[in-house]
Amino acid sequence: MNAPESLPRWSRAGSSRVPFWAYTDPQLYREELEKIFYGPHWCYVGLEIEVPKVGDYRLTWVGERSVILVRDRVAPKDRGTDTGIRVVENRCAHRGVRFCQQPHGNARSFVCPYHQWTYKLNGELAGLPFKEGVPAVDAAGQPCVQGGMPADFDVKQHGLRQLRVAVLHGLVFATFSDEAEPLEEYLGPQILPWLDRIFSGRQLTLLGYNRQRIPGNWKLMMENIKDPYHPGLLHTWFVTFGLWRADQKSRMVMDAQGRHAVMISRRNEGGENKAVTQGVTSFKADMALNDTRLLDVVPEPWWKVPDPANPGTDIMPSVTMITLFPSLIIQQQVNSLSTRHIVPRGEGEFDFVWTHFGFADDSEEMTRRRLRQANLFGPAGFVSADDGEVIQFSQDGFRQWGEDGETLCELGGTDTQGTEHMVTETLIRSMYAYWRKVMGA
Amino acid sequence: MNRDELLLQLEIDQLNARYAAALDERRFDDWPAFFLEDGRYTVQARENFDRGLPLALIALESRGMMKDRVYGITQTIFHGPYYTRHVLSPAQLLSPEGERIRAQTHYAVFRTRPGDASEVYNVGRYIDEIVRTPEGLKFARRTCVYDSEMILNSLIYPI
């Protein structure tokens, strides 16, 4: 009979050419789920503020697995060390039912409707009907017990699958793996200062969600936000209004493993600069907004931080795009803030969930400004709508050609170093160098 | 429903028919004129609307912003081409607020891309505040609350 097909192998050294099969092979995708999403990696599942009260829960995803993010009671002795945040798999230990169907709510316990197995908020099995059997009277008229679970049935062994959970600055991560290193080590000292800059010591407020389904491989979304080359070319608003383009002071940062990254840049005034606008058809020299409130940017004090790379000096970026492998993007683009969660759905499709947030001490004007600038982002955004579209067309291109095609990511060379400019595809190369290691490809 | 209400409903149905035709016939430049100068146009996911979360998919607060959106959809946002087709229910009059007429209308918008079958693109309801002006009925506010849990990749043209 047919032997299982072995994975195609990367045909050359380095990671500057990505084979099309990395995006189109369904068997490879199943392995990615196991080795990446369910392996020793931390996956983002949501924000702590989404479940503010004990019993508050929401459904979310780790890879293709539905999980429940819930706030549990905390024993008085554990206050200070236990956040109370739990993540359990949405799959009944009895017959495998994905029992929780309400996207969010408040619960005292979780009950599978099929046979009423009941779980505590932390996933432990609290009880099940007829565990001790049903008292009855036998044919001889003697009391007896019918059925019930075997005497050695141990409720402790049959809870929901509990994930390891780590909360950093209100961002909740979970992993199925016992081997994943502690979250802060996983993220690494190069990345942490950029998370601190946005989140440290601040209470978040939830502004809302946007959701889109993009017919492309999940890695294309990560690449899109590790690719500083395209924004000043694809996105008219970025090049015309100076929000992101190649003549800005910029830096590309990655962790020691090359899997996470930060694209850091500082806005300039936009307008004509032949070095970066000549021949760029998306640049619109005469474009002016009819209503400038759409781009009413007000710098915020927290933008300015000590420069992690140059002790003794400050840095004040207007934009940081953080990619945390495998499934989270954190965006600060001027006054707009969001997390973007990648939920893979097969090799050729993913859902992209945007959660916009602000800070509890924002003035009403600042909240309104963040909401106005949200018009730039998301599935209908002046700049982001085209990202989903090009991802779809990339996937279409890979699919039509077949396995021996490859993409070319050699802007700025073939190495995987950080840079002090944005004219580079180094962050894509570094992610694939790591991916090759994990996938054994 | 009395005769005046019935006439008003028909008038709003006609407004909606003209609005849908402008979009489906791609006369986007005509679109901002359906609104007051400081009219508001919002497209918002039902989950945000129901939970009182303020984020919208599109939130425009003036004809000027609508013109900027039209420039975006015709000149700056790169996307696969498509047609829309709006199918609307009769308007349901809601209790007015001062001078403002309030109404709700269900919509289904289908998308057709070149070479493809038509697909259900966005389904929801308009919640409208309408003002009578010398130029006819204008939207002070049109909020499109969509049921669809997922935007099919992108949403470019107005709903």
Side-chain angles (χ1 to χ4, degrees):
Chain A
M1 293 304 289
N2 296 340
E5 282 175 41
S6 64
L7 274 183
R9 288 284 173 252
W10 207 290
S11 59
R12 59 172 98 197
S15 57
S16 67
R17 306 287 180 97
V18 183
F20 287 172
W21 52 253
Y23 307 93
T24 58
D25 183 334
Q27 186 194 343
L28 175 75
Y29 169 73
R30 304 310 309 178
E31 288 197 31
E32 283 181 318
L33 286 179
E34 293 301 326
K35 291 179 176 167
I36 296 174
F37 289 91
Y38 313 143
H41 296 88
W42 286 96
C43 291
Y44 170 79
V45 289
L47 297 173
E48 211 179 349
I49 47 159
E50 294 179 86
V51 287
K53 297 191 298 292
V54 169
D56 284 352
Y57 71 87
R58 67 162 286 220
L59 293 182
T60 176
W61 301 90
V62 172
E64 290 194 0
R65 291 178 182 162
S66 171
V67 299
I68 306 169
L69 164 64
V70 59
R71 188 178 291 268
D72 194 5
R73 293 164 199 88
V74 177
K77 68 176 172 57
D78 296 332
R79 285 188 190 134
T81 53
D82 182 359
T83 60
I85 299 292
R86 317 278 180 246
V87 178
V88 295
E89 198 183 342
N90 183 12
R91 177 175 55 82
C92 181
H94 178 216
R95 299 273 287 272
V97 174
R98 187 185 278 181
F99 59 90
C100 186
Q101 292 293 319
Q102 287 300 327
H104 65 94
N106 184 278
R108 294 173 59 85
S109 57
F110 296 116
V111 183
C112 176
Y114 201 178
H115 304 88
Q116 311 237 327
W117 283 39
T118 299
Y119 302 93
K120 299 179 191 171
L121 296 178
N122 66 7
E124 287 171 14
L125 182 58
L128 53 119
F130 312 139
K131 177 166 162 288
E132 312 299 340
V134 175
V137 177
D138 67 13
Q142 294 302 310
C144 68
V145 173
Q146 294 176 335
M149 297 301 277
D152 63 353
F153 179 83
D154 179 6
V155 288
K156 288 194 188 66
Q157 301 302 313
H158 298 279
L160 300 174
R161 177 68 187 265
Q162 298 164 314
L163 283 76
R164 286 173 65 204
V165 176
V167 181
L168 177 67
H169 301 326
L171 298 159
V172 185
F173 296 83
T175 179
F176 283 99
S177 163
D178 294 329
E179 274 97 64
E181 64 265 52
L183 178 67
E184 301 207 353
E185 271 173 49
Y186 176 76
L187 297 172
Q190 300 86 348
I191 304 297
L192 285 170
W194 299 104
L195 294 172
D196 295 343
R197 173 176 168 273
I198 297 175
F199 295 100
S200 184
R202 293 199 187 90
Q203 180 64 37
L204 307 186
T205 51
L206 180 65
L207 298 179
Y209 304 96
N210 279 320
R211 299 173 193 270
Q212 65 190 128
R213 181 158 291 169
I214 300 179
N217 183 271
W218 66 274
K219 296 188 291 300
L220 288 167
M221 194 68 246
M222 276 293 171
E223 288 178 35
N224 180 264
I225 309 295
K226 289 175 185 284
D227 162 17
Y229 185 15
H230 85 276
L233 299 167
L234 175 64
H235 305 311
T236 292
W237 276 56
F238 278 178
V239 59
T240 304
F241 299 133
L243 291 164
W244 184 278
R245 59 187 223 182
D247 57 349
Q248 287 171 208
K249 196 160 173 38
S250 311
R251 181 185 299 165
M252 302 297 123
V253 172
M254 61 191 77
D255 70 316
Q257 309 241 34
R259 54 194 175 184
H260 317 302
V262 192
M263 300 199 303
I264 302 150
S265 192
R266 182 162 182 176
R267 186 184 178 199
N268 64 18
E269 291 310 306
E272 182 100 35
N273 169 2
K274 288 205 161 41
V276 299
T277 58
Q278 192 162 39
V280 175
T281 58
S282 54
F283 176 71
K284 309 280 184 198
D286 301 327
M287 179 176 169
L289 293 174
N290 289 289
D291 190 329
T292 54
R293 288 179 297 174
L294 279 169
L295 207 53
D296 162 34
V297 175
V298 171
E300 299 176 56
W302 59 267
W303 290 8
K304 188 171 182 173
V305 287
D307 185 346
N310 301 295
T313 64
D314 289 330
I315 185 170
M316 189 170 178
S318 60
V319 47
T320 59
M321 299 297 297
I322 304 172
T323 40
L324 301 183
F325 192 81
S327 53
L328 176 63
I329 293 152
I330 300 170
Q331 167 216 320
Q332 178 234 331
Q333 173 56 277
V334 288
N335 303 113
S336 172
L337 295 159
S338 67
T339 63
R340 312 179 186 177
H341 183 187
I342 297 171
V343 183
R345 296 171 49 89
E347 75 283 357
E349 187 172 83
F350 64 94
D351 287 346
F352 202 34
V353 181
W354 301 63
T355 306
H356 285 247
F357 61 89
F359 302 121
D361 59 359
D362 283 345
S363 65
E364 230 176 277
E365 282 104 320
M366 183 54 81
T367 300
R368 204 171 311 130
R369 184 174 295 118
R370 297 197 201 288
L371 291 167
R372 271 191 196 124
Q373 290 177 19
N375 280 297
L376 274 64
F377 305 103
F382 280 112
V383 284
S384 301
D386 17 33
D387 287 324
E389 294 284 297
V390 292
I391 285 172
Q392 175 171 357
F393 305 145
S394 297
Q395 189 77 15
D396 288 346
F398 305 152
R399 206 185 282 116
Q400 78 178 24
W401 184 255
E403 297 229 330
D404 65 334
E406 60 186 16
T407 72
L408 184 152
C409 313
E410 299 188 351
L411 191 73
T414 57
D415 67 357
T416 57
Q417 301 297 312
T419 64
E420 291 291 325
H421 61 81
M422 64 165 77
V423 197
T424 179
E425 291 169 313
T426 186
L427 300 178
I428 298 176
R429 294 191 291 272
S430 74
M431 179 178 78
Y432 279 101
Y434 178 73
W435 185 90
R436 284 191 69 170
K437 214 162 26 172
V438 174
M439 298 303 296
Chain B
M1 188 177 243
N2 64 36
R3 176 187 288 260
D4 284 347
E5 286 170 339
L6 194 56
L7 286 173
L8 180 59
Q9 189 220 298
L10 286 173
E11 222 179 334
I12 296 170
D13 287 345
Q14 288 303 309
L15 174 69
N16 282 333
R18 288 198 304 277
Y19 177 97
L23 294 179
D24 292 345
E25 292 164 17
R26 310 173 65 79
R27 289 183 278 108
F28 298 120
D29 287 336
D30 294 349
W31 173 65
F34 284 92
F35 293 81
L36 296 179
E37 189 56 49
D38 63 348
R40 291 181 175 227
Y41 174 75
T42 308
V43 183
Q44 190 178 36
R46 181 177 183 154
E47 71 175 323
N48 293 334
F49 183 85
D50 286 351
R51 294 175 64 183
L53 295 169
L55 184 75
L57 187 70
I58 301 175
L60 306 175
E61 297 165 64
S62 67
R63 266 193 205 168
M65 280 193 197
M66 292 176 216
K67 287 177 186 161
D68 292 329
R69 181 74 194 176
V70 170
Y71 188 78
I73 65 182
T74 55
Q75 306 293 325
T76 79
I77 303 176
F78 173 75
H79 62 91
Y82 69 96
Y83 300 118
T84 57
R85 182 68 52 200
H86 286 65
V87 178
L88 307 183
S89 77
Q92 173 198 357
L93 292 181
L94 306 174
S95 55
E97 207 169 285
E99 294 293 288
R100 287 191 179 182
I101 302 157
R102 290 175 65 246
Q104 172 173 293
T105 302
H106 305 294
Y107 69 79
V109 178
F110 298 87
R111 175 173 74 177
T112 309
R113 304 187 110 156
D116 254 330
S118 301
E119 60 191 334
V120 179
Y121 185 42
N122 193 272
V123 173
R125 61 188 158 133
Y126 297 126
I127 302 170
D128 296 324
E129 293 179 18
I130 302 167
V131 174
R132 193 175 292 285
T133 75
E135 289 81 45
L137 296 180
K138 300 280 181 194
F139 294 113
R141 237 174 226 275
R142 163 153 277 192
T143 306
C144 316
V145 178
Y146 59 92
D147 298 338
S148 314
E149 290 269 324
M150 287 291 160
I151 297 295
L152 298 179
N153 200 345
S154 68
L155 189 142
I156 312 293
Y157 306 139
I159 291 293

